[in-house]
Amino acid sequence: MEQSESADGPPVEALRAVFDVHEVRSDGRRRIYYGESLVPEQMLVREIWPAFREAGYDVQAQVGDLGQTDVVIVEPASQGVEGVPWKNIALFALTVLSTLFVGAYAWYYIPLSDITANPLVILRAWPFTAAVLGVLSVHELGHYAVGRYHGVNVSLPYLIPFIFPFGTLGAIIRMRGQMPDRKTLFDIGVAGPLAGLVATIIVTVIGLSLEPMTVPSRVLVGSSDTIVFNNPPLLDAIATVLGRPTEYADPRTVVHPVVIGGWVGMFFTVLNLLPVGQLDGGHMVRAMLGERQESLAAAVPLVLFGIAGYLHYVRGLGLNESVGLWFFWGLMATFIAYNGPAKPIDETPLGPARMAVGLFTFALGAACFLLVPVQVIPG
């Protein structure tokens, strides 16, 4: 039985123009309309979206096969963070602890026995933690700020604690509801890499300006395998401008761990700009090229597998010399390509200004790319 609509409820008259309503039900804050769509699914959402969005509602449609009931789901649009984001806070605290521990042990060379005897000694690694979490958080907050500006329901960042070598796997945000148009999709997608790269450059400049670290002799004597993080072109360019070295003749001298925060920012920028799935690059290219993005996304895994094959069969590198890294991301790209980027309701193409910003952002990402970013050299 159809329920009455309140005057301040969803603009049901806009729905009736393209949807024959048979029944209305309430499910918490959601209102569900059952009936028959008079137009194709994509057109249905496009026709009713403006009126519902103006009234403060998000809307989704599910159009079934011939003879099946069609459904329109309406719920109030989120107005921001509701309540205390305990999950975000807990993950942030855990990631602070994991990066402090990894930073103290791996980058400040504090013995595990000292950490066990006095756990507070890990606080000495706070510059490393601030650098790594700074670049990752600014990246995700860029998405969040622009998403809120456009009225899109986005979550606060979720930081992901991990172990070596950085103490974290990065950070993510969640986007809910419909994407209004390609401009909004592009703005949200590009905001993270640009904000993150600004933070990355600042962190790299600070790190290179700090005094280098001295590696304890016990580490040099007792070490077997050595993990080498090769410099991306952008890091070398910053060092050249500052006139600061990134390597020293004395093996006991290494750059300050804050520089690693800049390296992390550059590496994660490269991964995020892969034009597949829900990655930033996937959103950006979907906004820039429309549905043609799918063809480009299908080629990305092949390119990554090709890089792994080239490094192994042509250059003779092993799995621990970035061959395994690119093969792994080839598999990841294959998996996430099936879950494509958000589909905007309005498919109006981007203007030349946004297209230029997109090309500029991918150029900056290319300046962070290395064929062999990480190597494990046997002792």
Side-chain angles (χ1 to χ4, degrees), residues 7-285:
D8 59 349
V12 70
E13 290 305 319
L15 175 62
R16 293 186 193 278
V18 290
F19 191 87
D20 185 8
V21 179
H22 297 167
E23 183 181 0
V24 184
R25 297 179 184 175
S26 293
D27 179 13
R29 300 175 64 200
R30 300 194 308 168
R31 191 163 297 179
I32 306 174
Y33 298 86
Y34 297 88
E36 181 181 354
S37 177
L38 306 179
V39 295
E41 180 176 333
Q42 190 65 23
M43 184 181 297
L44 171 63
V45 176
R46 186 165 59 245
E47 289 294 325
I48 65 178
W49 171 268
F52 278 83
R53 189 62 175 171
E54 184 177 352
Y57 292 88
D58 280 328
V59 58
Q60 300 180 50
Q62 300 173 4
V63 176
D65 296 330
L66 185 64
Q68 295 183 342
T69 301
D70 303 328
V71 179
V72 172
I73 303 172
V74 176
E75 60 182 328
S78 173
Q79 300 301 314
V81 179
E82 299 176 0
V84 180
W86 291 114
K87 184 179 294 185
N88 304 79
I89 294 172
L91 286 172
F92 175 79
L94 289 173
T95 309
V96 168
L97 289 175
S98 64
T99 52
L100 280 173
F101 172 77
V102 171
Y105 179 76
W107 299 103
Y108 282 78
Y109 309 107
I110 299 175
L112 187 59
S113 59
D114 290 1
I115 297 175
T116 304
N118 179 20
L120 291 179
V121 75
I122 66 174
L123 293 177
R124 287 171 52 187
W126 73 263
F128 172 83
T129 291
V132 171
L133 298 192
V135 297
L136 297 177
S137 298
V138 169
H139 178 116
E140 298 302 333
L141 288 173
H143 292 309
Y144 177 81
V146 175
R148 299 311 310 176
Y149 171 79
H150 282 290
V152 175
N153 186 0
V154 295
S155 70
L156 287 169
Y158 295 91
L159 289 163
I160 305 173
F162 196 59
I163 47 176
F164 299 99
F166 309 121
T168 178
L169 279 179
I172 59 172
I173 63 168
R174 295 174 59 193
M175 289 194 294
R176 311 177 184 93
Q178 297 282 352
M179 186 62 59
D181 49 45
R182 282 163 67 168
K183 292 181 180 179
T184 300
L185 178 60
F186 176 83
D187 290 351
I188 295 174
V190 80
L194 287 181
L197 279 170
V198 170
T200 293
I201 292 171
I202 293 173
V203 163
T204 303
V205 169
I206 293 173
L208 290 172
S209 301
L210 296 173
E211 290 299 316
M213 295 281 293
T214 299
V215 182
S217 57
R218 60 174 175 79
V219 174
L220 294 175
V221 172
S223 64
S224 55
D225 295 345
T226 302
I227 302 177
V228 176
F229 296 90
N230 295 316
N231 293 345
L234 181 59
L235 196 153
D236 279 334
I238 295 171
T240 299
V241 171
L242 296 177
R244 299 286 295 182
T246 60
E247 296 180 352
Y248 296 87
D250 187 347
R252 295 173 299 178
T253 304
V254 295
V255 295
H256 196 278
V258 168
V259 176
I260 300 302
W263 192 97
V264 169
M266 296 177 197
F267 181 66
F268 276 91
T269 294
V270 170
L271 297 181
N272 273 295
L273 285 177
L274 292 175
V276 292
Q278 296 288 316
L279 296 177
D280 299 340
H283 291 311
M284 291 171 59
V285 175

